[in-house]
Amino acid sequence: MRTCVGIIGGGPAGLLLARLLHRAGVDCVVLERRDRDHVERRQRAGVLEQGTVDTLRGCGVGARLDREGLPHHGVELRFDGRAHRVDLPSLTGGRSVTVYAQTEVVKDLVALQLADGPPLLFGAEVRGVTGVESGAPVIHFTHEGRERTLSCGVVAGCDGFHGVARRTVPARAARTYVQEYPYSWLGVLADVPAGDDELIYARHAEGFALHSMRSPAVSRLYLQVPNGTDPAEWSEQRVWDALSIRLATPDGGWELRRGPITARSVTGMRAFVHEPMRYGSLLLAGDAAHIVPPTGAKGLNLAVADAVALAAALVHRHRTGSTALLDTYSDSCLRRVWQTVRFASWMTTTLHRHPDQGPFEDRTQLAALDRIATSKTAAAEFAENYAGLPI
Ligand code: APR
Ligand code: PHB
């Protein structure tokens, strides 16, 4: 097999890249190691920045998103017995976010790709890539029990944090940055209507809590828990009681709706950046190159921004023969990546309770949140980052 762009990974980064290339007439093949059902069921975050929504609409995958996505024009911060709503459009020149689960984005992209897109092979496990230092790289993979190869013009490594693409880059050519956090998220899905609620981020002496949703009928809630927590230690009652305490409003006027919990899991938190995002004919995009802590729901949005930049660079080369945009791909993506890492880690450390936290850190966290509640400039800085920097 031979193609212009060999794409490893059929997550949001790989699928969107394939869609954008296909629309511009650049041929590509997507190799995904899991089966379709698995890819479409994975639970991930679900807040789309304005630029992500615009991108999906612009490439023909906006129909269901427009019907079923929930536009949110604000988020609420709760801290120190206070509740403060940040209005996104008025602070950002009209930008907002949309709640639409990542699994739904993936389903829409897969359906379109299988209907009229370039080849997408499920159950195709990439074992390695050779020749990335040349202009003729080869992807080695197994599919239906056979060893196969895909010869490419370039390889897009969109295979997530645990993928193989990044490992192709020799250590001498790479630099990685890692930050582990000393707490995790216990996430639950509950059959509880979210009503008209917006997302609520709470900083509390007992730890962070987040009230989010997946659809009008399903709520998604998170609690800060110590690393190594076993989800089985958290009965339904314990989860709801902790959420009630951490999310309580000063006047007690807001009531947490409770209901059956249908799934629960504990996820660690880290930031990770691999530089550069290009090595020879290998280009990394999405989680393969970077992970942000989940506060702010930036992972999918960053993957979309990478895919847009990479598609533009590859289409430019296809049309003009110029590698100018490919040559700047890594640097220009990394600027956005670091801005996003900075914002997600700021949200994380401002809203979570560090196990060694003392009164000094309590005060500086509260001062940061008070600043957003009282200064339009500080609120605008928060809102611009939350609604997403322009792609
Ligand atoms: N061969 C083929 N496919 C692979 C291989 C491999 N060796 N290794 C991993 N993959 C596939 C995974 O099965 C997965 O479907 O690559 C895909 C990577 O998808 P994601 O992990 O979803 O990463 P990405 O597309 O970059 O999406 C960005 O945003 O909300 C965050 O982390 C969240 O997935 C999310 C991400
Ligand atoms: C989610 O709904 O999973 C979610 C929402 C907002 C975040 C993080 C995760 O900041």
Side-chain angles (χ1 to χ4, degrees):
M1 265 165 79
R2 171 172 296 281
T3 187
C4 283
V5 185
I7 301 177
I8 312 176
L15 292 168
L16 179 61
L17 176 63
R19 177 99 308 248
L20 293 165
L21 292 176
H22 179 62
R23 282 171 71 87
V26 179
D27 73 67
C28 60
V29 172
V30 182
L31 304 174
E32 165 56 51
R33 111 182 133 106
R34 302 288 194 162
D35 63 25
R36 180 178 180 180
D37 193 53
H38 180 98
V39 168
E40 292 187 344
R41 269 172 202 271
R42 271 189 303 225
Q43 270 305 324
R44 295 271 174 80
V47 179
L48 309 186
E49 293 176 355
Q50 183 71 57
T52 298
V53 170
D54 296 343
T55 299
L56 294 172
R57 278 189 192 133
C59 68
V61 271
R64 199 161 67 92
L65 163 64
D66 282 333
R67 276 199 314 278
E68 297 175 17
L70 308 171
H72 279 209
H73 301 301
V75 291
E76 197 165 314
L77 300 174
R78 292 191 182 166
F79 58 100
D80 201 23
R82 297 163 67 182
H84 178 75
R85 177 175 186 272
V86 178
D87 187 76
L88 299 171
S90 66
L91 291 162
T92 60
R95 298 165 79 79
S96 51
V97 296
T98 299
V99 171
Y100 188 65
Q102 178 171 324
T103 40
E104 305 306 320
V105 174
V106 167
K107 278 184 210 163
D108 296 344
L109 284 166
V110 167
L112 210 57
Q113 171 110 356
L114 294 177
D116 82 337
L120 161 60
L121 273 60
F122 287 107
E125 169 138 21
V126 173
R127 303 286 187 187
V129 184
T130 52
V132 289
E133 274 146 0
S134 75
V138 177
I139 302 177
H140 303 261
F141 66 103
T142 52
H143 188 235
E144 294 171 343
R146 287 174 46 216
E147 305 277 332
R148 300 182 62 182
T149 58
L150 176 62
S151 305
C152 318
V154 296
V155 174
C158 304
D159 49 351
F161 182 64
H162 301 287
V164 296
R166 192 177 63 240
R167 283 183 254 140
T168 308
V169 182
R172 64 178 154 75
R175 172 126 200 229
T176 57
Y177 303 81
V178 186
Q179 176 74 49
E180 305 277 354
Y181 294 87
Y183 32 74
S184 301
W185 276 11
L186 170 70
V188 304
L189 276 177
D191 286 336
V192 177
D196 297 331
D197 283 341
E198 294 180 323
L199 266 60
I200 306 166
Y201 292 87
R203 179 234 174 248
H204 191 275
E206 291 189 7
F208 170 77
L210 168 58
H211 193 290
S212 178
M213 65 209 70
R214 282 289 171 273
S215 69
V218 177
S219 293
R220 176 73 166 152
L221 304 122
Y222 297 99
L223 285 165
Q224 177 187 343
V225 293
N227 284 348
T229 295
D230 176 358
E233 291 164 24
W234 284 78
S235 65
E236 292 211 5
Q237 178 79 30
R238 188 176 174 201
V239 169
W240 290 118
D241 289 350
L243 286 165
S244 294
I245 291 169
R246 298 186 196 183
L247 291 165
T249 49
D251 57 4
W254 180 85
E255 191 150 355
L256 176 68
R257 281 183 292 268
R258 301 183 179 211
I261 289 178
T262 55
R264 77 187 67 198
S265 58
V266 170
T267 326
M269 300 173 75
R270 67 154 73 86
F272 168 84
V273 180
H274 179 282
E275 292 182 353
M277 287 172 62
R278 174 188 180 183
Y279 178 71
S281 352
L282 171 70
L283 297 123
L284 300 174
D287 279 15
H290 42 70
I291 297 284
V292 287
T295 329
K298 294 295 177 195
L300 166 64
N301 294 292
L302 261 191
V304 165
D306 289 353
V308 168
L310 183 49
L314 291 167
V315 170
H316 184 67
R317 195 188 64 168
H318 182 75
R319 291 193 178 148
T320 66
S322 157
T323 62
L325 293 184
L326 279 177
D327 296 341
T328 54
Y329 168 74
S330 178
D331 286 349
S332 68
C333 283
L334 284 167
R335 284 181 72 188
R336 184 193 188 85
V337 167
W338 279 110
Q339 285 303 328
T340 309
V341 169
R342 178 193 67 79
F343 179 68
S345 77
W346 175 86
M347 267 191 93
T348 301
T349 53
T350 303
L351 292 166
H352 288 69
R353 187 168 187 82
H354 193 285
D356 303 329
Q357 186 159 328
F360 180 84
E361 288 83 8
D362 287 343
R363 286 287 187 249
T364 52
Q365 283 183 331
L366 293 175
L369 295 164
D370 180 47
R371 183 87 188 130
I372 293 174
T374 53
S375 153
K376 203 170 170 193
T377 314
E381 163 66 6
F382 174 85
E384 270 182 30
N385 284 280
Y386 192 83
L389 307 172
I391 291 187

